[in-house]
Amino acid sequence: MKITHITTKEKWEEARTKGYYDHESIEKEGFIHCSSPQQVLKVANKLYKGQEKLLLLLIEESMVKSNIIWEDLYNLNELYPHIYGVINIEAVINTYDFKPREDGSFQLPSELRDNKD
């Protein structure tokens, strides 16, 4: 199954140099927030509206070495994937420039719009 994570281009370049992606949320909450491709627009439009220089990471869940737990920690009546540890670089199977539209909202890259995997 594919999952997604929103990050900055700078943070992704740093991860490629190190060989793994980490996030400050590991220290604060114990995990990296992710979402399914079907959920990511809700997250993007709520938390990142209008932000520039973002990337959307497409991650193959089965390739992630850290533990992934799908859970509803915020009583949203929806399970989100949380990665309890770093993301090994080879699990990121694609990256997409994630630019806001003129109104600041986001849309999925065309390759992900109809992908149900």
Side-chain angles (χ1 to χ4, degrees):
M1 179 176 231
K2 311 291 187 290
I3 59 176
T4 61
H5 175 74
I6 301 167
T7 191
T8 63
K9 292 178 181 181
E10 180 182 343
K11 188 84 171 136
W12 177 241
E13 285 306 314
E14 178 186 309
R16 290 180 60 198
T17 301
K18 292 190 300 191
Y20 62 90
Y21 176 86
D22 61 359
H23 194 272
E24 56 271 5
S25 66
I26 294 174
E27 191 171 308
K28 292 178 185 173
E29 298 176 83
F31 59 85
I32 297 173
H33 291 267
C34 293
S35 57
S36 71
Q38 294 77 27
Q39 296 168 317
V40 73
L41 287 182
K42 275 192 279 187
V43 173
N45 290 324
K46 182 176 181 180
L47 301 176
Y48 297 94
K49 191 166 185 172
Q51 289 187 36
E52 301 282 344
K53 298 181 182 173
L54 297 177
L55 280 180
L56 183 63
L57 306 182
L58 184 63
I59 303 160
E60 176 54 57
E61 184 178 7
S62 65
M63 294 174 67
V64 176
K65 294 178 182 175
S66 296
N67 194 25
I68 299 174
I69 301 175
W70 287 73
E71 52 198 345
D72 182 1
L73 297 178
Y74 306 104
N75 298 315
L76 300 172
N77 295 316
E78 195 170 1
L79 299 177
Y80 282 83
H82 298 132
I83 301 176
Y84 283 82
V86 300
I87 302 171
N88 45 301
I89 289 295
E90 63 273 11
V92 179
I93 58 173
N94 211 338
T95 62
Y96 302 93
D97 282 328
F98 204 43
K99 297 178 183 175
R101 295 185 283 196
E102 203 169 292
D103 68 357
S105 68
F106 292 89
Q107 68 180 14
L108 279 178
S110 57
E111 300 88 26
L112 298 179
R113 285 188 202 136
D114 297 318
N115 187 356
K116 303 297 181 205
D117 184 18

